[in-house]
Amino acid sequence: MSHWLLDTMADKRRLALREADRLQFFREMGRELPDFDEETLRESAAALEIAVLDLEVDRLADEPEQRTLLRQAAGDAFRLLRMLPLPTNPMDAGTHLLRASVLAVLGDRGADAARWLRSLDESQQWPDLPLDTTNWGERCRATLTDVWLRLVRKKGWSDRDAVLERVAALRSTQQTFEREYLHAFEPIEAKRSALELIAIYHLAKAADVLAHYITDGVVDGSHQIQPVLDSHFDRAIDACDTGQLIELGPLTRLLARAAQQLADNALWTVTRAVNSRVTEFVRELVKRGRGDRALFDVLPPQRRTLAEQGLLGSSRRAVVVSLPTSSGKTLIAQFRMLQALNQFEDRKGWVAYLAPTRALVNQVTRQLRRDFEPLGLQIERVSPAMEIDGVEADMLKESHDETQFRILVATPEKFDLMLRQGWEETIGRPLSLVVVDEAHTIQEGERGLRLELLLATINRECREAQFLLLTPFIQNAREVARWLGGQNAEDISIGVDWQPNDRAIGIVSPVDDGAINGRSRNYRLDFQTVHTSRHTIDLDDTFSLGKEDALAATLSKSREVGTLAAITARKLKVRGPVIAMHSRPDFVWSLAEKIKSDRVLNLPDDVRFVQRYVAAELGAEFPLVDLLAHGVGVHHGGLPEEIRMLMEWLFEKGRLDVLAATTTIAQGVNFPVSGVVMAATSYPYGQPMPPEDFWNIAGRAGRVSQGQLGVVALVAKDDDEVARRRDFISRATGDLNSALIKLAKDAADDIADLGMIVYRHPEWSSFLQYLVHTYRQLGAPDNFADQIEQVLRGTLGFEKLRASNSRIASQLLGGIRNYVSYIAGPGQPLKLVDSTGFSLQSIRTVMTHRGDIGPRSWDRERLFSQGDRTLQDMMGVLLRVPELRGNLETVLGGKTPDGDKLALILKDWVNGEEIATIANRHFRKDGEDEVTALTKCGQNLFGKLAQTSSWGLNALMAITASDLPEEERNRLANLPSQVFYGVSTDEAITLRLLGVPRRAAAPLARTLNLSAGESLPAIRQRLALLSQQDWSEALGPDGNVYRKAWQIIDGVEE
Amino acid sequence: MSQETTLSFPSKAAYGSTQDCVVWQGECVNDGAELTAFMRGPVAARLYDTVASEVLHEQLRGLSLTGMGQDALEEVLAAEVPETRDWAAGEALAEAVLEAHHEVELPWNNERDKRNPFASLPGADIVGFQRDGGSHRLALGEVKCSSEAQWPPQVMSGRSGGLGHQIDNLATNLGTIHQLLSWLLPRVKGTEYEAAFNAACTRYLNSGRRDLALFGILVRDQEPREADLKVRGGKLASSLTAPTCCCLIALYLPWPITQLPETIGQGGSA
């Protein structure tokens, strides 16, 4: 769409914005502002503002394109205005801020304006408006400016309360000052001033109405706020027109539109008339402690999703919400969940929330509990262990209304197993909604395929289930939605035109800075922005970060990515918390050591507490303790899960300057950071980081402490690496594709023989299991081979594979037909496929090699005792299972399969040995230090062995112990969980599921004296009620440290 | 556009000069029937006559909903406004002359604005558009009346109130003009002036804020002398650059300025 003014000034606008970006970058980086042409910025801002007014006057036309033009023009005007120096006169400054803020709101950048205004307040630059002057006109103008600025700033309830107070103060002092003020003018000017006051009174009242509305959702008994606002604005505009108030008139018109936008953004508007549970939730969000955390309005993508695209009014079976990172997808999901729960309230329907990583499962559970428990909703999570132990089984079967779960958080793998084991039926209530977080992981290899097949299974088997898929922005959201919902689907995509804050992405590399002496060269680090498709700040020139003699004195010394990353992190951390990433845990340790410079003076109590926790778990000499004293945290798979969670907690609270982490953190961060430094762009095992993950972490950059600019810096040691980094950043995210296509291509001719494929390509296991499961589910029909194409149509990938590569598709189809006739053969243990999560081939493998392992082998006491060899035998069998082999062999460091070693590690683990002891005993090689051993132990034990063995043992038990009487089998149900959690008793398992750290679980279980049949929520409550003294009695001097750690992990302590 | 512009303004040139982008000219106004017609027609038409107090009173409606009192406001809005017509008449005359002789269109000639008691906008005495080729540019003007027997009269200089300073301000102050444009916009939107506004606005904002016409009008009842404008014209010529064009006009009335309101009479909106 063209516009008479915007078209002619396009070039000028672009140049002015570029200049504003440059200024902002310098300002945010704490440098003195370079010289710039203020007038150019002013002129472009003025022109944009006129264009906004022009489009606003035309608003009844209400064309989407016009709205977009208006939004962009207003947003750009804001970007320019905020870079201009504030006028020295306080009233002029206030007016300038108000103009900019109003434009920000119209440009969907209200959140930026709010942060900007707050930061001005914090840095004492807030204009000192003459709110108490005896000059009534001046006082009214000051009040007007103040209240509307507060409505944009929304600093918790205090701003809202101040608006009401100030407007009330106008009313109570009018009598005292107004008459005298008006009579000081010549009659004609007195009339003009009277009209100005009338306009201001209406605008003040409108502010008062809006302030009431954002918190209460209702004004004078009416939920319809717009007519009330309109009437005041119309009158104010009329008064401005009549009095020819050329300053107030245009501002009033913009304010009118901004007020409408503010009302539209209000949580209350977005969620109006959905249901009482949603209303209650909104009330909770708004009231939240009446503090700064109160939430009054939604972000633009949330507004567009919930209100404009009507997600809450929709009863579509499948909805894909595809939004950029940091758009607040969780809140969107929360509303949708409440709606689904309400829809199935009569039958106590439940929601499954699927999150791809353990860390995210924990984070989501914490957040949902915090937000929904006040509504009386029970939130539970299941562990990622590939089995349902007794504790979980009891929780799932809970039948009391108050204590039964309504939302279950799980990893897709676990949920897949649950469904195939028939848990939906056992639960006995309908699965009403499946929320898939980070749904783009559907394209990632084996895990992706499993997720895809899980969704296909749910879609076919759970009649009432609806789907909500949350993804970062993808191109083909509609296609994905259609896959699950057919015609009854919807996609809500907000492209990359909205960003939560400004961001600069670039490459840091060393450049020659002249000779130091005869032989060495000096250097400096230059940051060069990279142009991206996502409206990031792009500078024409490089920006120098200087050098750091302590880390590299010369150019040649600086040419090492770890050093470069450390220098960059040191430079960036002054702006706010930085995440510095490297590819492997050992690199991360040395990166952290390089980053550490000065000790933190007055170390915060939170950090001291974590130091004590780390010391208790891993010893006082563990380097993390010292790093924490320097404000540096560490996060990688070699650390116990609880310590990783505490690192996230510290970092999120702003207690750490830098978090050194492996690149894997890119998948699991859902809190803002100020800066991101990347020494590597691949994952610990060498796979490149996919663009979605990069944009996830890049999307988190910004919005911390004073600054609002997120800086993402990739370091590169030389020109070649610069070029590679540039390519990496430029990789586009595109369509969401099924992993099936890539797996089929990679397997080549092997797909013709699905019977053997799992031995060479274990990632095909889930596909084979899907075939078996569907076959069973359909009642093992004779003509399954004929039905197979129909079944495959339920997947996202098969149709696409057929369209894109028909040869592979037909080869695969042939393979499937052969496989189907194989599984349909007599005596196949198909049921075990669903209960174990193994492919048929793997089950057969186990059966062949089980040796003496039988029902009698399963003795919980004996199995983990040192003298017994049964576990060794079992691990030997498991090492033959394709699904497990990879992980188990990694634990052994690629050496020959050695079940003995694995069994010995597991025994120490289950019997409660300290981590340091296990590391020393099993993971320390000659000449290696303790930290290296601990890291390896962590990576292998928590990351692989515990999880894989508990799954394997569970499956092995299902295969070899089915003859045991049920009672005995129930007693064994927790055995795999012992391995998963590293504890030896049922009670300790329960506490581990509730988040209690391993070292504390057993002693605490004794203190609690748990009895059989106690529900999980009841136990959590008892746990929460334990005093510091109780914990100390159970655990000794570290009791209070563990208590606090648990409170953080559980989400009680924020 | 409006009909009144077809009536001509009877005058003959007394002097005139050009220096760079500044033109100054003196015009002796001829007395007679033609002048009377012009005064009673186009000039009177733009001069507000009675205080439309009922329009103002209207503004109080709905105020009770704000919770604010209205007694003092009511008094002020209802108060009589004494005659202060000299300068208003001077402005009305200047506007009519610009329309008649200088291709200027003023978007005020509608019933509603005519009845407005606030004769001129803050910011600039005259705001309009000047036809220029196939397009329009912004036309802004300041008006002064002086009977002082001194050439130039004091109203031409002076730090803040002088005509020269005011024109300088219009030429350089983006804030003022931005406000005027923002103010004008909703009033011309959808009217016959919209295209002129759009063109003027575009030209102004894309020319480094130079493409506009500035007018300084001095209404005199003294002997015509070029000294009235020459010094100011020269100074402006040194500070303004093309495409800005500036025109200083002195109108020498055949009778005292104090007679202006009377000559205009009760025409127009009466």
Side-chain angles (χ1 to χ4, degrees):
Chain A
M1 187 178 168
S2 72
H3 181 269
W4 58 271
L5 183 55
L6 295 176
D7 292 351
T8 61
M9 60 165 296
D11 284 342
K12 203 169 175 171
R13 174 183 182 178
R14 202 172 42 247
L15 289 175
L17 288 169
R18 218 173 158 85
E19 185 70 353
D21 276 355
R22 184 170 75 102
L23 292 170
Q24 202 208 352
F25 188 81
F26 272 77
R27 182 183 285 179
E28 293 266 1
M29 297 298 281
R31 298 287 171 85
E32 209 155 290
L33 287 196
D35 286 337
F36 71 103
D37 180 8
E38 239 178 69
E39 288 304 296
T40 308
L41 262 59
R42 271 185 216 289
E43 211 171 283
S44 295
L48 287 167
E49 192 177 335
I50 287 174
V52 169
L53 263 174
D54 182 60
L55 290 159
E56 197 281 327
V57 174
D58 245 0
R59 79 180 137 152
L60 290 179
D62 201 33
E63 286 172 21
E65 278 183 58
Q66 190 168 325
R67 264 183 286 151
T68 308
L69 275 190
L70 185 147
R71 196 159 53 222
Q72 287 166 347
D76 286 353
F78 164 68
R79 284 167 63 194
L80 298 176
L81 287 175
R82 79 175 154 174
M83 293 323 298
L84 290 169
L86 276 186
T88 42
N89 173 303
M91 267 314 291
D92 293 346
T95 308
H96 177 84
L97 292 177
L98 186 56
R99 238 177 99 199
S101 303
V102 161
L103 287 163
V105 169
L106 295 179
D108 267 351
R109 301 194 65 144
D112 294 74
R115 279 194 298 272
W116 180 49
L117 294 176
R118 285 177 207 169
S119 72
L120 287 175
D121 193 23
E122 282 152 19
S123 57
Q124 261 91 54
Q125 293 181 67
W126 191 263
D128 185 17
L129 296 170
L131 292 159
D132 298 316
T133 171
T134 52
N135 178 326
W136 182 244
E138 194 77 349
R139 181 189 283 226
C140 286
R141 276 176 230 120
T143 302
L144 177 72
T145 307
D146 182 79
V147 295
W148 281 97
L149 281 175
R150 284 174 191 274
L151 283 172
V152 175
R153 186 174 74 174
K154 288 199 194 73
K155 199 172 166 194
W157 278 69
S158 59
D159 269 342
R160 176 264 190 192
D161 292 344
V163 170
L164 302 186
E165 281 160 23
R166 296 229 196 286
V167 175
L170 276 193
R171 290 189 193 115
S172 63
T173 48
Q174 181 190 17
Q175 287 268 329
T176 321
F177 300 109
E178 190 190 58
R179 189 178 306 270
E180 194 186 333
Y181 166 73
L182 287 173
H183 284 281
F185 291 103
E186 294 294 322
I188 199 85
E189 277 311 308
K191 285 180 198 287
R192 199 197 285 271
S193 299
L195 290 169
E196 185 190 11
L197 291 182
I198 290 173
I200 291 177
Y201 297 161
H202 281 289
L203 296 176
K205 175 65 183 179
D208 177 283
V209 166
L210 196 56
H212 272 293
Y213 180 75
I214 57 172
T215 51
D216 306 345
V218 57
V219 179
D220 296 335
S222 169
H223 297 275
Q224 285 266 37
I225 185 188
Q226 203 53 53
V228 185
L229 288 177
D230 283 349
S231 78
H232 289 293
F233 279 110
D234 287 351
R235 301 230 158 260
I237 289 173
D238 209 21
C240 290
D241 281 354
T242 308
Q244 301 202 335
L245 307 173
I246 70 163
E247 286 181 45
L248 192 56
L251 180 64
T252 300
R253 283 174 197 275
L254 289 181
L255 265 183
R257 183 63 182 259
Q260 185 187 355
Q261 190 66 69
L262 287 169
D264 284 351
N265 290 351
L267 259 177
W268 286 113
T269 309
V270 168
T271 59
R272 228 184 102 198
V274 179
N275 60 54
S276 59
R277 195 168 252 149
V278 166
T279 306
E280 209 183 326
F281 178 46
V282 172
R283 198 164 289 132
E284 283 296 326
L285 291 172
V286 169
K287 290 265 146 91
R288 201 174 273 170
R290 287 183 64 98
D292 282 358
R293 300 200 41 164
L295 193 62
F296 299 128
D297 45 19
V298 295
L299 296 170
Q302 294 171 327
R303 183 189 73 227
R304 290 188 222 166
T305 308
L306 293 169
E308 292 163 21
Q309 307 232 24
L311 176 66
L312 289 182
S314 151
S315 56
R316 299 285 190 189
R317 181 163 170 85
V319 178
V320 174
V321 172
S322 140
L323 303 178
T325 306
S326 297
S327 311
K329 288 193 274 278
T330 310
L331 187 71
I332 292 171
Q334 282 179 309
F335 282 117
R336 181 72 186 87
M337 285 189 265
L338 292 178
Q339 193 205 18
L341 290 176
N342 220 61
Q343 203 178 339
F344 290 86
E345 183 59 34
D346 52 338
R347 288 187 286 155
K348 302 287 171 206
W350 55 284
V351 172
Y353 193 112
L354 306 181
T357 65
R358 198 160 161 167
L360 280 174
V361 166
N362 292 335
Q363 283 173 20
V364 167
T365 308
R366 275 203 302 269
Q367 182 171 355
L368 292 181
R369 273 199 189 135
R370 195 185 60 213
D371 290 348
F372 285 168
E373 278 190 347
L375 311 185
L377 290 175
Q378 201 64 44
I379 320 297
E380 295 293 353
R381 69 175 160 204
V382 281
S383 81
M386 286 295 282
E387 38 95 20
I388 307 289
D389 63 30
V391 186
E392 286 181 341
D394 289 345
M395 180 269 287
L396 293 172
K397 287 188 285 197
E398 178 67 52
S399 59
H400 291 99
D401 277 5
E402 311 80 60
T403 43
Q404 67 186 189
F405 75 91
R406 299 300 300 278
I407 298 172
L408 189 69
V409 189
T411 56
E413 285 79 4
K414 175 70 168 254
F415 195 64
D416 181 42
L417 193 74
M418 281 178 58
L419 279 190
R420 291 202 279 133
Q421 291 182 357
W423 275 98
E424 200 214 358
E425 207 174 319
T426 314
I427 289 166
R429 300 177 280 132
L431 169 60
S432 37
L433 175 70
V434 180
V435 180
V436 186
D437 204 350
E438 310 288 350
H440 65 283
T441 49
I442 209 164
Q443 59 193 345
E444 285 164 20
E446 181 188 6
R447 296 197 64 198
L449 182 60
R450 200 197 303 248
L451 175 58
E452 175 182 338
L453 298 174
L454 164 65
L455 297 181
T457 305
I458 298 172
N459 204 16
R460 224 190 34 248
E461 294 171 16
C462 304
R463 218 166 56 88
E464 331 248 24
Q466 302 171 353
F467 297 89
L468 176 65
L469 272 60
L470 306 172
T471 73
F473 181 65
I474 53 169
Q475 303 288 348
N476 61 335
R478 167 154 304 172
E479 185 188 354
V480 177
R482 286 272 168 102
W483 159 49
L484 291 169
Q487 292 304 308
N488 196 4
E490 197 156 11
D491 65 294
I492 298 178
S493 297
I494 309 258
V496 284
D497 64 331
W498 183 86
Q499 294 294 335
N501 54 267
D502 300 292
R503 202 167 293 144
I505 296 179
I507 297 167
V508 169
S509 57
V511 291
D512 192 324
D513 207 20
I516 297 178
N517 51 39
R519 301 171 66 182
S520 341
R521 308 288 301 170
N522 205 350
Y523 75 99
R524 63 164 200 275
L525 297 195
D526 272 1
F527 178 78
Q528 187 167 17
T529 56
V530 174
H531 175 79
T532 73
S533 56
R534 305 204 179 191
H535 302 284
T536 51
I537 285 182
D538 197 5
L539 307 176
D540 292 322
D541 309 320
T542 56
F543 179 90
S544 171
L545 293 174
K547 66 180 292 198
E548 190 88 21
D549 275 319
L551 290 175
T554 63
L555 179 63
S556 59
K557 292 257 166 52
S558 74
R559 291 198 187 279
E560 192 273 319
V561 284
T563 305
L564 287 169
I567 298 174
T568 310
R570 281 191 185 194
K571 300 287 184 187
L572 290 183
K573 73 178 187 183
V574 290
R575 299 185 57 243
V578 171
I579 287 189
M581 295 188 280
H582 214 320
S583 58
R584 291 175 8 196
D586 50 343
F587 294 167
V588 168
W589 280 122
S590 64
L591 176 60
E593 290 293 340
K594 281 181 182 163
I595 292 169
K596 117 181 162 186
S597 50
D598 299 324
R599 278 182 173 273
V600 177
L601 297 171
N602 304 323
L603 201 61
D605 287 345
D606 288 336
V607 180
R608 286 180 196 281
F609 142 71
V610 176
Q611 280 182 309
R612 287 181 60 199
Y613 182 85
V614 174
E617 284 279 308
L618 302 171
E621 298 306 309
F622 194 66
L624 180 54
V625 178
D626 179 54
L627 285 166
L628 285 170
H630 292 80
V632 179
V634 173
H635 190 290
H636 56 63
L639 291 168
E641 188 183 7
E642 291 84 4
I643 292 183
R644 274 180 277 158
M645 283 168 90
L646 291 175
M647 291 297 124
E648 290 166 21
W649 175 76
L650 280 182
F651 192 70
E652 211 173 335
K653 284 189 90 176
R655 300 285 189 266
L656 296 177
D657 296 336
V658 183
L659 185 62
T662 40
T663 32
T664 40
I665 203 168
Q667 296 169 315
V669 176
N670 66 356
F671 44 80
V673 301
S674 161
V676 174
V677 178
M678 296 176 71
T681 56
S682 59
Y683 283 137
Y685 295 95
Q687 324 86 302
M689 180 185 285
E692 289 80 7
D693 291 358
F694 171 70
W695 284 106
N696 181 47
I697 186 95
R700 305 289 176 193
R703 300 190 298 153
V704 178
S705 55
Q706 320 91 326
Q708 18 191 351
L709 174 76
V711 178
V712 180
L714 286 73
V715 302
K717 59 183 178 303
D718 53 32
D719 289 349
D720 282 352
E721 204 159 54
V722 168
R724 283 200 299 276
R725 299 290 193 239
R726 201 174 275 281
D727 287 347
F728 173 81
I729 296 170
S730 309
R731 292 171 316 159
T733 55
D735 277 4
L736 186 60
N737 266 313
S738 163
L740 182 64
I741 297 172
K742 186 170 183 305
L743 291 180
K745 284 181 182 159
D746 291 350
D749 289 341
D750 289 345
I751 54 174
D753 184 4
L754 292 180
M756 290 303 288
I757 198 168
V758 75
Y759 295 107
R760 255 168 289 173
H761 306 278
E763 60 274 18
W764 277 84
S765 175
S766 57
F767 187 77
L768 302 180
Q769 293 177 51
Y770 176 71
L771 294 175
V772 170
H773 173 77
T774 313
Y775 174 68
R776 285 186 65 218
Q777 203 62 32
L778 291 172
D782 293 338
N783 64 345
F784 186 60
D786 300 332
Q787 293 186 37
I788 199 69
E789 281 189 51
Q790 222 174 328
V791 169
L792 289 174
R793 231 170 241 148
T795 66
L796 175 65
F798 188 74
E799 285 299 304
K800 284 191 103 172
L801 181 65
R802 188 136 68 175
S804 66
N805 203 324
S806 60
R807 192 188 63 81
I808 296 183
S810 66
Q811 206 176 5
L812 178 60
L813 213 50
I816 292 171
R817 293 219 173 85
N818 289 338
Y819 191 69
V820 163
S821 60
Y822 164 70
I823 62 176
Q828 291 284 30
L830 300 183
K831 193 176 168 198
L832 282 174
V833 172
D834 278 341
S835 59
T836 59
F838 284 2
S839 63
L840 194 52
Q841 276 59 35
S842 301
I843 292 167
R844 289 238 165 260
T845 303
V846 170
M847 287 173 158
T848 309
H849 295 95
R850 61 191 274 185
D852 294 336
I853 301 168
R856 293 295 130 219
S857 311
W858 298 95
D859 179 327
R860 285 177 67 177
E861 306 297 317
R862 211 185 57 208
L863 206 56
F864 299 105
S865 66
Q866 293 302 346
D868 190 81
R869 278 202 51 87
T870 318
L871 191 60
Q872 275 87 327
D873 293 342
M874 289 178 174
M875 295 313 291
V877 175
L878 296 184
L879 271 164
R880 294 176 180 273
V881 175
E883 286 90 339
L884 311 179
R885 201 171 51 204
N887 269 347
L888 296 180
E889 284 177 356
T890 312
V891 176
L892 293 168
K895 290 200 207 110
T896 44
D898 178 0
D900 287 11
K901 179 170 179 183
L902 295 178
L904 291 175
I905 301 172
L906 285 179
K907 285 180 184 180
D908 282 351
W909 169 239
V910 169
N911 291 325
E913 286 290 356
E914 296 280 347
I915 298 300
T917 312
I918 301 177
N920 263 326
R921 200 174 279 165
H922 303 288
F923 292 95
R924 192 164 183 173
K925 282 192 198 146
D926 290 344
E928 271 180 3
D929 62 9
E930 197 176 1
V931 177
T932 308
L934 272 168
T935 304
K936 259 199 280 178
C937 171
Q939 272 183 287
N940 290 300
L941 180 52
F942 325 129
K944 301 191 182 326
L945 184 59
Q947 160 108 16
T948 309
S949 320
S950 73
W951 174 20
L953 291 172
N954 182 59
L956 191 59
M957 193 154 66
I959 296 167
T960 62
S962 55
D963 298 343
L964 284 175
E966 191 179 342
E967 193 187 329
E968 215 160 316
R969 260 191 296 151
N970 284 346
R971 263 194 292 125
L972 287 172
N974 282 349
L975 188 145
S977 282
Q978 286 178 262
V979 173
F980 184 78
Y981 291 121
V983 290
S984 57
T985 66
D986 289 347
E987 293 75 19
I989 289 172
T990 306
L991 293 188
R992 292 284 282 137
L993 181 63
L994 288 171
V996 175
R998 173 171 171 262
R999 283 184 88 228
L1004 212 57
R1006 284 192 289 277
T1007 300
L1008 277 167
N1009 199 12
L1010 298 177
S1011 59
E1014 249 182 305
S1015 76
L1016 212 51
I1019 299 171
R1020 184 183 313 112
Q1021 211 158 22
R1022 281 180 58 196
L1023 200 50
L1025 289 173
L1026 285 188
S1027 68
Q1028 199 152 313
Q1029 200 184 344
D1030 295 328
W1031 283 75
S1032 296
E1033 274 168 23
L1035 298 166
D1038 291 330
N1040 56 345
V1041 175
Y1042 277 88
R1043 177 166 180 259
K1044 182 163 179 175
W1046 175 75
Q1047 287 172 333
I1048 292 161
I1049 291 163
D1050 192 59
V1052 181
E1053 164 111 22
E1054 285 181 13
Chain B
M1 305 252 166
S2 49
Q3 277 186 346
E4 299 115 57
T5 51
T6 53
L7 272 174
S8 67
F9 178 63
S11 67
K12 71 169 193 281
Y15 56 83
S17 297
T18 302
Q19 187 180 333
D20 299 326
C21 60
V22 181
V23 176
W24 59 89
Q25 59 195 61
E27 308 250 344
C28 285
V29 183
N30 303 331
D31 206 354
E34 211 181 342
L35 179 62
T36 310
F38 188 78
M39 287 297 185
R40 303 226 157 162
V43 179
R46 64 193 62 249
L47 192 61
Y48 124 90
D49 190 54
T50 54
V51 177
S53 51
E54 67 281 8
V55 174
L56 295 184
H57 191 78
E58 274 279 285
Q59 299 294 329
L60 292 168
R61 268 203 310 127
L63 195 64
S64 66
L65 294 174
T66 66
M68 302 296 290
Q70 40 185 291
D71 298 351
L73 296 167
E74 201 167 355
E75 279 166 31
V76 169
L77 291 178
E80 288 276 324
V81 180
E83 286 281 321
T84 51
R85 301 191 58 179
D86 289 9
W87 59 268
E91 272 182 27
L93 172 64
E95 285 186 357
V97 169
L98 291 184
E99 278 197 323
H101 286 186
H102 294 271
E103 304 275 310
V104 171
E105 291 169 12
L106 300 158
W108 308 112
N109 295 332
N110 58 61
E111 203 52 32
R112 177 178 161 165
D113 283 326
K114 238 186 309 184
R115 297 194 65 82
N116 198 301
F118 309 108
S120 62
L121 287 175
D125 292 339
I126 296 173
V127 182
F129 313 110
Q130 187 185 39
R131 283 184 294 278
D132 178 50
S135 161
H136 284 81
R137 63 181 161 196
L138 196 58
L140 303 174
E142 293 289 348
V143 182
K144 294 284 177 199
C145 299
S146 175
S147 304
E148 199 183 355
Q150 194 171 294
W151 294 263
Q154 287 183 47
V155 293
M156 289 304 285
S157 47
R159 272 204 170 269
S160 60
L163 190 69
H165 179 85
Q166 285 176 331
I167 290 179
D168 256 341
N169 184 46
L170 290 180
T172 54
N173 194 330
L174 170 68
T176 306
I177 295 180
H178 174 236
Q179 251 159 19
L180 285 169
L181 289 170
S182 304
W183 163 257
L184 269 178
L185 188 141
R187 306 165 76 87
V188 298
K189 191 88 186 166
T191 72
E192 57 190 309
Y193 298 102
E194 183 173 343
F197 174 87
N198 290 359
C201 191
T202 308
R203 284 175 65 167
Y204 175 72
L205 290 168
N206 279 305
S207 61
R209 310 191 324 249
R210 285 210 286 267
D211 195 354
L212 80 168
L214 299 170
F215 293 94
I217 292 151
L218 176 65
V219 180
R220 293 286 267 161
D221 49 8
Q222 296 288 333
E223 176 194 339
R225 289 189 196 169
E226 191 171 359
D228 271 350
L229 302 180
K230 191 169 178 173
V231 176
R232 194 46 53 188
K235 283 194 176 162
L236 285 168
S238 65
S239 66
L240 302 177
T241 46
T244 305
C245 70
C246 175
C247 184
L248 301 179
I249 303 163
L251 299 174
Y252 297 93
L253 299 179
W255 21 256
I257 289 173
T258 47
Q259 268 185 39
L260 248 179
E262 188 189 315
T263 317
I264 293 168
Q266 298 296 311
S269 59

